[in-house]
Amino acid sequence: MSRTVREVVSAGMMCLPLAVGIVTAWTVLPTVPPTLDVHVDRSGVVDGTAPTWLMVAVPLVLSVVAAILGLAGLRESWQANRRVQRALAGGAAVLGLVVWMWSVEFTRLAGTGADLVALPVVLSVFGAMFWGVLCLVVTPPDLLAD
């Protein structure tokens, strides 16, 4: 893959969490209660909640930071440490979205008698970390300042 194509794909990968976060907030937010379940004990009883606005704001802020770093990395003056920045910011943005969406899903399932299993959550967290690694791999090598 040429350097220019990698630049564009990498910047797009950094902006994608923001687009997904906006669409998710737009479509899901009207259907959720003011507090979301964020922790369930071993017996399936909810023992931790958080305000919905906080659970939406944190991933959106992380996604905005990731998008800014992705677009700023296109400038030559910002290319010194962008691979690591994109790996960390991209992974954190997707991780924020994973936490937001699983808290919405657990809130919907709580009290219905459905089993709340952790395996999909764990796989989603590993997927978010893998997204950060993909951002690192796709980003062209850093230009070192003299």
Side-chain angles (χ1 to χ4, degrees), residues 1-124:
M1 202 179 329
S2 73
R3 183 174 183 87
T4 305
V5 172
R6 287 177 70 182
E7 296 271 1
V8 172
V9 170
S10 177
M13 288 176 68
M14 295 300 288
C15 293
L16 189 61
L18 180 58
V20 170
I22 290 170
V23 169
T24 302
W26 184 276
T27 57
V28 175
L29 199 54
T31 65
V32 296
T35 59
L36 294 174
D37 302 336
V38 294
H39 193 267
V40 179
D41 67 10
R42 289 182 183 220
S43 61
V45 176
V46 175
D47 62 354
T49 60
T52 299
W53 68 267
L54 182 65
M55 296 301 292
V56 174
V58 170
L60 287 178
V61 167
L62 290 171
S63 297
V64 166
V65 169
I68 289 170
L69 286 175
L71 294 174
L74 294 174
R75 298 184 57 191
E76 191 171 329
S77 61
W78 278 72
Q79 294 182 1
N81 296 308
R82 67 184 173 158
R83 292 186 85 189
V84 174
Q85 290 172 354
R86 288 183 180 187
L88 294 174
V94 174
L95 183 61
L97 293 172
V98 165
V99 170
W100 147 246
M101 289 313 301
W102 277 113
S103 63
V104 168
E105 185 62 21
F106 280 164
T107 301
R108 289 184 177 159
L109 290 175
T112 64
D115 289 336
L116 303 177
V117 293
L119 182 61
V121 177
V122 172
L123 293 176
S124 299

Side-chain angles (χ1 to χ4, degrees), residues 118-135:
L119 182 61
V121 177
V122 172
L123 293 176
S124 299
V125 168
F126 279 115
M129 288 188 284
F130 183 67
W131 183 262
V133 171
L134 280 177
C135 289

